[in-house]
Amino acid sequence: MVDWDIRPASVADVEAVAELRAVVLRADLERLGRYDEHRVRQRLRDGFDPSCTWVIEVGGVFAGCVALRPAGDAHWLEHFYLAPHLQGSGIGSGVLRELLESCDRDRVLVRLNVLQGSPARRLYERYGFDVESEDRVDVFMVRKPA
């Protein structure tokens, strides 16, 4: 597994995160007929909250991000993107494991949505997420504290 670090995000990270989002989601959004190169970046910019976002770094270089946003009865796992050349290296699993251990200690339910047909769904299922509902674009999943 590749060594990685995680640090709190800052407002200055928004463009790197928006660009990574466009790269990572492109194939799935194109398959679903939903890719718009401006909109995919702007939606991230409009909803970016550095107070609940972390940046993933490998060798001190931006490699991805993840957000865990408190909302009502749960935390929403959002904006979990990892550079394509690092996917499958164990970094995503390591980051997710750390976040979920924290949520388990606090007895917090975790929710997320993933695009229909995304391979990321398998990662979430391995970590105990179950399908709560779905539509033609998104699968909404939930994980109860262990």
Side-chain angles (χ1 to χ4, degrees):
M1 182 164 110
V2 177
D3 287 332
W4 54 273
D5 291 305
I6 194 167
R7 66 164 172 82
S10 74
V11 174
D13 293 309
V14 69
E15 289 306 317
V17 173
E19 190 57 36
L20 180 59
R21 180 180 198 267
V23 168
V24 170
L25 294 184
R26 184 174 189 142
D28 286 329
L29 289 171
E30 284 179 340
R31 179 178 40 75
L32 294 167
R34 311 272 300 187
Y35 185 78
D36 175 307
E37 68 179 74
H38 173 73
R39 186 170 187 252
V40 70
R41 291 169 177 86
Q42 194 59 46
R43 285 192 67 190
L44 184 283
R45 290 179 192 117
D46 292 345
F48 186 72
D49 181 354
S51 71
C52 58
T53 304
W54 292 269
V55 168
I56 303 161
E57 295 181 330
V58 174
V61 177
F62 176 85
C65 64
V66 63
L68 194 60
R69 179 179 53 85
D73 70 335
H75 284 8
W76 277 87
L77 182 69
E78 300 173 321
H79 309 305
F80 194 7
Y81 312 120
L82 190 60
H85 71 281
L86 295 169
Q87 293 175 8
S89 66
I91 295 171
S93 291
V95 170
L96 185 57
R97 186 173 30 259
E98 277 192 18
L99 291 174
L100 294 177
E101 285 172 358
S102 172
C103 290
D104 287 347
R105 280 191 302 274
D106 295 339
R107 307 295 301 152
V108 175
L109 196 71
V110 180
R111 296 182 189 283
L112 62 82
N113 66 293
V114 62
L115 291 170
Q116 286 284 3
S118 171
R121 179 176 170 174
R122 289 190 302 274
L123 172 67
Y124 300 133
E125 288 171 337
R126 281 197 314 269
Y127 281 86
F129 284 86
D130 295 311
V131 173
E132 195 167 39
S133 67
E134 54 188 298
D135 59 31
R136 62 186 224 17
V137 175
D138 291 302
V139 178
F140 295 89
M141 304 181 81
V142 64
R143 180 185 179 273
K144 294 177 181 171

